[in-house]
Amino acid sequence: MSALKIKKGTSKHSAYDLRDPNAEVMETHTLAVIVDNEAGVLARVIGLFSGRGYNIESLTVAEVDHEGHRSRITVVTTGTPAVIEQIKAQLGRMIPVYDVHDLTVEGPAVERELALIKVANTGEKRVEALRLADIFRANVVDSTLESFVFEMTGTTDKIDAFAELMRPLGLVEIARTGVAAMSRGTAA
Amino acid sequence: MTRQMTGAQMVVQALRDQGVDVVFGYPGGAVLPIYDEIFQQNDIRHILVRHEQGAVHAAEGYARSTGKPGVVLVTSGPGATNAVTGITDALMDSIPLVVLTGQVPTFMIGNDAFQEADTVGITRPCTKHNWLVKDPAKVSETIHQAFQVATNGRPGPVVVDLPKDVQFAQGTYTPPQQANLGHYNPQVKGDIDAITQLVEMIESAERPIIYSGGGVINSGTAASQLLRELVDATGFPITSTLMGLGAYPASGKSWLGMLGMHGTYEANLAMHGCDLMINIGARFDDRITGRIADFSPKSRKAHIDIDPSSINKSIHVDLPIIGDVGHVLEDLLRVWKSRGRKTAQAGLEKWWKQIAEWKSVNCLYYKPSKQAIKPQYALERLEALTRGHDRYVTTEVGQHQMWAAQFMGFEDPNRWMTSGGLGTMGYGLPASVGVQVAHPDALVINVAGEASWLMNMQEMGTAVQYRLPVKQFILNNERLGMVRQWQELLHGERYSHSWSEALPDFVKLAEAFGCKGIMVKDPADLDDAIQEMLDYDGPVIFDCLVEKHENCFPMIPSGEPHNKMLLGDASTKDAIQQGGAVLV
């Protein structure tokens, strides 16, 4: 119907493309999610992320209130601001979820990760590894004549940096807990 | 009062205490104890379906037409997996359901036992919440909680998985009043400051539109009343999604018809050109918005929704109001009245003139025919001959569904049951069964296409068994009409597998089921045939042979904005090209 001035062949945008095509910046946020520690609760949270295509950079979970059976899930995620808001809203409406804290926007927060790092080496490399461990305040929790297991706590960046330094010094393997985080100050 | 009883007895008692009067189900090994209890009582009626998917759709029809939650009882394994499509359908359309599934005994879970499936795992993404009850002491409390979750906030389906040993075990029954229902308690009252802001917007809007959705129906009949009051008092035009039809009456003077992909020209252009959009209980679905970037570019948008995750999910809104539609509308009207019931009259009058111009395009026009029954004509006649009846309409999914939405008028909420979000072919027949169970004396019509209808046709057996006089109004074009339409417009008229070469004789099929069959193909006979269907006191399969290649218009091609509508065959040639073809 020419009266409508339909431009031919203009269908190039997806009706499903919900994200802003003007590519907003990706942000990394740390969320603390307080949940009922009931069977399957972790699967629910992970299923939400995979089902809706959200990213999980890191995830830690443990029961923090044994009497109230509540767990704290700390999840580090990336997305555009709109996606981060969706993630929080989607988490917030889940039945076992009490609270969703976005520690990245709710003010200053402490973030820590624990890592175990195994390094096998001898001679000068062994001495160097020990020296660097001292600088990074990593503890030796296991040792043989040819290896160390270091334990270190710190931010993700710090552990990344230490692991990178250990690579040429005989890094064998690394185990990390993922981020645990908490807001600074008196409020929960 | 607490009482000792078996898990199975608790299930029945809990349903009774929740006011359940009917359960749709299908027995099997893992639910036999519950079926044994159902046998020994008369408070709860059990409707035996022919397939578990049918049970869930029937419960959806029951729920949608009554406002009460629908209840389903199926066995483990295949019983539960067959129910999954229906459960997903209910989740997408926010229909409250409590689905009870049997499970293998707790000590066999994880053992690949006979008829074992990980029901809570499978249904986790398609339920609002689900539970596996391993402790007999938790059976009654969990069921009470299930009803609370299904019906509060944004409604949805829940699953309670009940292992067989738990059904046999003794435990203490907890009545609803004593049950710990957990912390789920969504906000129903809207923020009064935001509501006041919306009132200010209403007062100054010159080109407003109200866009209402299924949330108004879910909120209850009071919400529909308030919506009508708001529309009539402000004189604002109103359109609605497929799910929201009937909240505002089709005969109302401010009604623009449905919006969206197959919505009316006037509704879609009003959405595109408005300066204030008030979304009441709808969710900016992609069938509504078309191309996001060009969706209603010049308007301020307010969005009333009980689900915070609906806000800004696809369309950024200027004013979100989180709360139950009924509560928010009540406050909104109160504040608006207290400030002197103001609207921008002059602008509004101009706006209505513009809308009248759009209306004059007569977008639902179709070429009449004396040789073949046009599907639109069939629905016009059905509408004319059933208007004034105590009528409920269900549909399957496809062209007929859109034509029903366009050509039938809905005057009240809860009268229109259709699969909107999931688009489930095979929904309509079982849904009509559920509606008729809830409203035994009403006229219940399933507007169907022959392809959708065949997907759950076994449920005719249920209709006949329970003497449910459902009318199956099949617009038979021997094609998968909507698929065919898309292939014509998008895929170079290559009709890949979109027709059926071996359709049953529907009249003989009706006889085989033990009901009445009527076939009509001449437009001149249509009225008499419809009247015969209405006069027959029992289920009818009405085989209406229609024009085979009719397309459903208007149509907004996928990925196009509202002002790029196709109105009729003349406008379709080459209108949709490669880019649009990737969309659904």
Side-chain angles (χ1 to χ4, degrees):
Chain A
M1 199 154 289
S2 56
L4 284 174
K5 298 196 182 72
I6 291 166
K7 218 157 93 195
K8 310 272 181 175
T10 47
S11 311
K12 40 180 172 302
H13 291 89
S14 167
Y16 292 127
D17 190 3
L18 305 183
R19 287 162 187 98
D20 190 342
N22 302 320
E24 291 174 272
V25 278
M26 298 289 272
E27 294 180 354
T28 300
H29 283 236
T30 304
L31 311 178
V33 190
I34 312 299
V35 299
D36 275 323
N37 185 19
E38 59 181 35
V41 68
L42 185 59
R44 275 179 218 287
V45 171
I46 292 172
L48 172 72
F49 276 77
S50 63
R52 293 188 182 264
Y54 306 145
N55 301 309
I56 298 179
E57 301 289 320
S58 147
L59 181 109
T60 63
V61 54
E63 189 171 83
V64 291
D65 173 0
H66 297 303
E67 254 168 48
H69 299 293
R70 293 202 191 171
S71 289
R72 183 178 178 111
I73 298 174
T74 309
V75 51
V76 180
T77 182
T78 55
T80 61
V83 169
I84 301 277
E85 284 309 307
Q86 258 303 294
I87 292 173
K88 289 190 272 183
Q90 293 288 353
L91 285 168
R93 73 174 185 152
M94 297 178 87
I95 309 300
V97 170
Y98 281 87
D99 234 333
V100 182
H101 291 289
D102 185 342
L103 297 173
T104 307
V105 299
E106 283 177 13
V110 198
E111 291 190 9
R112 288 293 180 272
E113 210 183 327
L114 185 134
L116 296 172
I117 299 138
K118 183 178 283 180
V119 186
N121 47 21
T122 53
E124 191 48 42
K125 284 187 175 175
R126 187 170 164 83
V127 178
E128 184 59 21
L130 207 53
R131 191 159 37 224
L132 286 167
D134 192 40
I135 293 169
F136 275 79
R137 274 177 269 168
N139 300 318
V140 177
V141 290
D142 178 70
S143 177
T144 67
L145 291 173
E146 288 163 358
S147 70
F148 291 119
V149 174
F150 296 117
E151 169 210 55
M152 82 180 286
T153 342
T155 62
T156 300
D157 285 350
K158 178 181 167 182
I159 291 167
D160 284 346
F162 184 69
E164 214 39 57
L165 286 169
M166 288 302 111
R167 203 170 295 282
L169 299 177
L171 180 72
V172 176
E173 60 175 339
I174 181 161
R176 300 168 70 145
T177 57
V179 171
M182 191 168 281
S183 59
R184 293 182 186 271
T186 51
Chain B
M1 186 189 68
T2 53
R3 279 184 282 159
Q4 291 292 311
M5 54 178 89
T6 67
Q9 287 170 329
M10 283 191 236
V11 170
V12 173
Q13 186 58 43
L15 294 181
R16 205 179 274 133
D17 286 351
Q18 288 292 339
V20 173
D21 53 8
V22 59
V23 170
F24 300 90
Y26 203 100
V31 277
L32 284 176
I34 299 173
Y35 270 88
D36 202 26
E37 291 306 322
I38 284 180
F39 187 81
Q40 298 175 55
Q41 55 85 49
N42 286 314
D43 300 332
I44 297 168
R45 189 174 177 213
H46 179 274
I47 303 292
L48 175 70
V49 295
R50 298 299 183 266
H51 185 284
E52 288 88 350
Q53 186 190 350
V56 185
H57 292 323
E60 285 186 275
Y62 175 93
R64 195 65 171 169
S65 67
T66 60
K68 298 198 290 183
V71 182
V72 175
L73 176 59
V74 296
T75 194
S76 63
T81 56
N82 278 346
V84 164
T85 300
I87 295 169
T88 310
D89 190 89
L91 184 75
M92 290 287 268
D93 286 344
S94 307
I95 309 294
L97 296 184
V98 175
V99 180
L100 307 172
T101 54
Q103 182 54 280
V104 300
T106 50
F107 52 84
M108 293 183 79
I109 289 176
N111 227 355
D112 296 330
F114 177 64
Q115 292 195 330
E116 181 185 357
D118 176 9
T119 301
V120 288
I122 290 169
T123 60
R124 200 174 283 132
C126 65
T127 51
K128 191 173 168 189
H129 196 63
N130 62 14
W131 296 263
L132 167 63
V133 187
K134 287 180 165 174
D135 177 359
K138 290 266 168 77
V139 171
S140 40
E141 191 165 87
T142 306
I143 292 176
H144 298 319
Q145 211 180 339
F147 276 89
Q148 142 100 358
V149 170
T151 54
N152 279 269
R154 180 177 178 175
V158 297
V159 164
V160 182
D161 200 23
L162 297 156
K164 194 170 184 182
D165 57 334
V166 172
Q167 298 171 34
F168 275 124
Q170 287 281 329
T172 307
Y173 179 76
T174 312
Q177 307 78 23
Q178 288 164 28
N180 172 14
L181 296 180
H183 59 94
Y184 182 67
N185 191 16
Q187 172 186 341
V188 292
K189 291 286 273 186
D191 174 47
I192 198 72
D193 291 337
I195 291 171
T196 309
Q197 250 178 289
L198 179 54
V199 169
E200 287 165 8
M201 289 176 168
I202 287 173
E203 287 167 347
S204 63
E206 301 198 323
R207 288 172 282 119
I209 186 154
I210 292 172
Y211 144 48
S212 70
V216 182
I217 315 249
N218 276 333
S219 181
T221 46
S224 291
Q225 279 311 316
L226 289 162
L227 177 73
R228 289 163 187 223
E229 198 185 333
L230 176 73
V231 172
D232 293 342
T234 55
F236 284 7
I238 177 170
T239 179
S240 159
T241 66
L242 182 72
M243 295 306 295
L245 296 178
Y248 185 82
S251 60
K253 68 175 171 46
S254 302
W255 178 239
L256 303 189
M258 182 177 77
L259 82 163
M261 186 174 269
H262 294 287
T264 66
Y265 187 64
E266 50 271 27
N268 284 327
L269 286 200
M271 286 288 280
H272 190 79
C274 65
D275 70 347
L276 172 64
M277 178 186 298
I278 309 173
N279 173 341
I280 306 178
R283 61 184 178 91
F284 295 111
D285 176 81
D286 58 69
R287 301 292 96 163
I288 300 304
T289 60
R291 188 195 303 171
I292 301 273
D294 295 319
F295 175 70
S296 192
K298 294 187 192 103
S299 62
R300 288 186 297 169
K301 300 174 186 74
H303 186 184
I304 303 168
D305 203 305
I306 199 161
D307 179 359
S309 77
S310 284
I311 307 291
N312 293 335
K313 186 166 69 179
S314 51
I315 296 291
H316 176 79
V317 294
D318 304 279
L319 180 66
I321 300 175
I322 294 164
D324 170 64
V325 165
H327 285 83
V328 174
L329 286 180
E330 199 177 355
D331 287 343
L332 182 72
L333 273 163
R334 188 170 41 75
V335 175
W336 179 71
K337 285 178 187 164
S338 72
R339 290 165 53 111
R341 312 166 70 104
K342 288 190 286 259
T343 53
Q345 273 308 317
L348 210 48
E349 270 169 38
K350 249 177 87 186
W351 181 227
W352 271 110
K353 270 195 198 123
Q354 170 67 70
I355 290 171
E357 234 173 80
W358 290 329
K359 265 192 181 165
S360 68
V361 166
N362 191 17
C363 66
L364 296 181
Y365 174 80
Y366 61 92
K367 218 177 277 169
S369 166
K370 285 214 159 62
Q371 284 75 45
I373 300 176
K374 290 280 185 159
Q376 301 96 322
Y377 177 70
L379 289 168
E380 274 180 340
R381 295 318 302 157
L382 181 67
E383 165 72 11
L385 294 169
T386 60
R387 196 181 292 143
H389 282 70
D390 179 13
R391 183 186 78 181
Y392 294 81
V393 176
T394 69
T395 75
E396 305 287 345
V397 169
Q399 286 182 321
H400 68 272
Q401 177 190 28
M402 294 297 108
W403 280 319
Q406 291 172 341
F407 287 90
M408 300 188 81
F410 298 95
E411 296 298 312
D412 291 299
N414 307 102
R415 297 281 174 158
W416 163 251
M417 274 57 56
T418 194
S419 172
L422 195 65
T424 310
M425 292 171 72
Y427 167 90
L429 165 50
S432 71
V433 165
V435 174
Q436 191 81 74
V437 166
H439 309 277
D441 300 324
L443 169 63
V444 180
I445 305 169
N446 174 31
V447 175
E450 83 290 345
S452 282
W453 192 84
L454 288 171
M455 281 203 181
N456 269 325
M457 68 164 185
Q458 75 284 350
E459 299 306 330
M460 270 329 274
T462 311
V464 171
Q465 176 170 345
Y466 294 96
R467 298 172 198 280
L468 303 168
V470 289
K471 313 300 182 198
Q472 303 302 317
F473 194 77
I474 301 174
L475 298 173
N476 184 353
N477 59 359
E478 301 168 13
R479 302 284 183 283
L480 313 187
M482 192 61 95
V483 171
R484 195 211 63 79
Q485 176 170 345
W486 282 56
Q487 287 172 335
E488 179 186 329
L489 300 179
L490 290 152
H491 295 276
E493 300 178 45
R494 291 179 296 279
Y495 298 118
S496 182
H497 301 274
S498 55
W499 77 95
S500 317
E501 285 188 62
L503 286 169
D505 178 328
F506 285 96
V507 174
K508 282 188 184 157
L509 189 64
E511 284 162 12
F513 272 116
C515 63
K516 184 178 178 67
I518 300 171
M519 192 274 280
V520 60
K521 58 183 174 186
D522 185 341
D525 301 334
L526 183 61
D527 275 24
D528 287 346
I530 292 175
Q531 199 53 54
E532 190 187 352
M533 171 184 89
L534 297 175
D535 291 343
Y536 183 71
D537 183 23
V540 176
I541 299 175
F542 188 92
D543 184 17
C544 185
L545 300 180
V546 296
E547 168 72 51
K548 297 188 202 312
H549 297 121
E550 192 73 11
N551 283 335
C552 182
F553 291 112
M555 175 179 180
I556 303 177
S558 272
E560 292 287 9
H562 280 172
N563 58 346
K564 299 268 170 68
M565 295 190 83
L566 308 180
L567 282 183
D569 285 315
S571 67
T572 61
K573 200 169 180 314
D574 299 328
I576 305 167
Q577 300 200 341
Q578 208 68 43
V582 302
L583 306 172
V584 180

